[in-house]
């Protein structure tokens, strides 16, 4: 029995995929965003489930993630959001991956490799419509397309952009981005480039901006069961997919006036029952949760007392009389009628659910379960 583990509920993942699909018209397909180990949920099993649900594309950040998907038998087209490095191009051509393109030297490199291989490389050109991060600036698009016109080894299958504030309630900046995106698509059309897949929407765009769905949408966080933010105008009915569990390693009684943990930041003010749990910041349980976090034991909330250390936390269980060593502890997810949410943990750490999932998912053995059906 591991000291701590993560359970991934594939039934919840399917439910969330259906929630996303329900919002889409017939001509829009889903790209399942499975980068960063599917936000800590396990890239390969999550990808297999999403493909079985109907995801027609997957998106990862780096080529090695696409390689792993291929090695593990996942066959749908994979979009590589950060593009390809020179040494990856040859092999990538044979793996049916679709690099995102935002540099003309990369375009030339992929073109040359494609010509050598006697094939065309499908690429998705990224345009910066207002995110200011990755992508060709709007005013450089015509020159980029002039150059692309000479590179017959490339097949511009897609045009991609990304929203900066789709998760905020004021959608005016998003509307500006959509307008820029449409004008870019018009430019491609005028050059005789018929793009099959235009895509700009993340989860927030999918939920709140139905007129920005185009041919592909790229949901990530909603598939894992969290709203992109609390400001959404049309939030979805989502089920959290990840549960983070551990068990009580030691239970002890302490007198009043005793310090707990590094720095002695907590001192018992009465006789106290303290449970030590083998989870720390190395397990993705942030040190910012020192004296702030809450866990569930026997369905009851127990506060973290003292500092989170590398591999342990301590919680006050004085109010749970029947508590016992080896009791299951839920640090994220449901136990009984209560739930610790990723958004709740994120608020305590001044971050977002995305980071909570990635950090917890990173170091853990994952148990894949199927709703009430148990382990898969
Ligand atoms: C380019 C791109 N598309 C889509 C997504 C998915 O976004 P979300 O998880 O908010 O749905 C991300 C996530 O960061 C991204 O970087």
């Amino acid at each position: 029995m591991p000291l701590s583990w993560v359970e991934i509920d594939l039934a919840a993942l399917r439910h969330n995929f259906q929630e996303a699909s329900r919002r889409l018209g017939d001509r829009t397909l889903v790209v399942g965003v499975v980068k960063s180990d599917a936000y800590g949920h396990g890239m390969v099993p999550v990808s297999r489930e999403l493909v079985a649900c109907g995801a027609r594309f997957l998106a990862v950040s780096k080529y090695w993630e696409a390689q792993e998907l291929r090695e593990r038998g996942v066959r749908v087209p994979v979009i590589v959001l950060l593009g390809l490095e020179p040494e990856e191009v040859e092999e990538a051509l044979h793996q049916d991956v679709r690099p995102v393109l935002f540099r003309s030297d990369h375009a030339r490199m992929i073109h040359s490799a494609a010509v050598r291989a006697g094939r065309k490389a499908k690429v998705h050109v990224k345009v910066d419509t207002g995110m200011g991060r990755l992508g060709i600036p709007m005013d450089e698009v015509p020159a980029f397309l002039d150059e692309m016109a000479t590179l017959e080894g490339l097949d511009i299958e897609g045009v991609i952009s990304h929203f900066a504030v789709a998760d905020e309630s004021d959608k005016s900046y998003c509307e500006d981005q959509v307008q820029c995106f449409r004008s870019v698509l018009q430019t491609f059309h005028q050059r005789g480039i018929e793009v099959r897949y235009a895509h700009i929407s993340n989860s927030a765009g999918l939920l709140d901006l139905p007129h920005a769905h185009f041919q592909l949408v790229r949901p990530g966080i909603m598939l894992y069961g969290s709203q992109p933010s609390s400001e959404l105008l049309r939030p979805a009915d989502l089920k959290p997919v990840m549960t983070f569990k551990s068990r009580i390693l030691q239970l002890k009684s302490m007198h009043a006036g005793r310090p707990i943990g590094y720095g002695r930041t907590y001192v018992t003010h009465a006789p106290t029952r303290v449970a030590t749990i083998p989870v720390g910041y190395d397990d993705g349980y942030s040190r910012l949760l020192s004296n702030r976090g809450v866990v569930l034991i026997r369905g009851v909330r127990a506060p973290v007392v003292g500092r989170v250390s590398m591999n342990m936390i301590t919680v006050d269980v004085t109010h749970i009389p029947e508590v016992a060593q080896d009791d299951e502890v839920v640090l994220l997810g449901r136990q009984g009628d209560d739930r610790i949410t990723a958004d709740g943990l994120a608020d305590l750490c001044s971050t977002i659910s995305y980071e909570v999932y990635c950090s917890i998912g990173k170091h853990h053995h994952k148990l894949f379960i199927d709703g009430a059906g148990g382990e898969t």
Side-chain angles (χ1 to χ4, degrees), residues 325-346:
Q325 289 184 152
D326 290 325
D327 269 3
E328 182 183 272
V329 178
V330 167
L331 299 108
L332 168 69
R334 174 173 291 288
Q335 194 188 54
D337 295 332
D338 207 347
R339 176 182 286 287
I340 308 290
T341 66
D343 284 320
L345 290 179

Side-chain angles (χ1 to χ4, degrees), residues 33 35 39 81 126 133 162 202-203 218-221 354:
V33 178
K35 62 182 183 161
Y39 295 29
L81 294 167
K126 185 151 192 179
R133 192 175 62 173
H162 196 45
N202 49 6
S203 298
R218 303 188 309 270
I221 196 71
Y354 299 63

Side-chain angles (χ1 to χ4, degrees), residues 157-196:
E157 179 187 61
V159 176
I160 164 172
S161 194
H162 196 45
F163 282 127
V165 287
D167 57 343
E168 293 180 8
S169 55
D170 179 352
K171 303 295 181 195
S172 48
Y173 192 76
C174 296
E175 297 303 347
D176 292 346
Q177 282 196 260
V178 173
Q179 216 170 18
C180 288
F181 193 54
R182 286 191 192 286
S183 81
V184 165
L185 294 175
Q186 187 61 20
T187 308
F188 276 72
H189 177 68
Q190 283 159 357
R191 304 284 183 114
I193 304 169
E194 296 310 333
V195 171
R196 276 156 281 162

Side-chain angles (χ1 to χ4, degrees), residues 31-35 39 59-61 79 81-82 100 126 131 133-134 160-163 166-167 199-206 217-224 226-229 354:
V31 182
V33 178
V34 295
K35 62 182 183 161
Y39 295 29
V60 296
S61 292
I79 298 170
L81 294 167
L82 298 183
V100 165
K126 185 151 192 179
M131 174 71 166
R133 192 175 62 173
L134 194 65
I160 164 172
S161 194
H162 196 45
F163 282 127
D167 57 343
H199 44 122
I200 186 169
S201 283
N202 49 6
S203 298
L206 188 160
V217 288
R218 303 188 309 270
I221 196 71
M222 71 173 293
L223 299 176
Y224 306 112
S226 287
Q227 309 291 344
S229 83
Y354 299 63

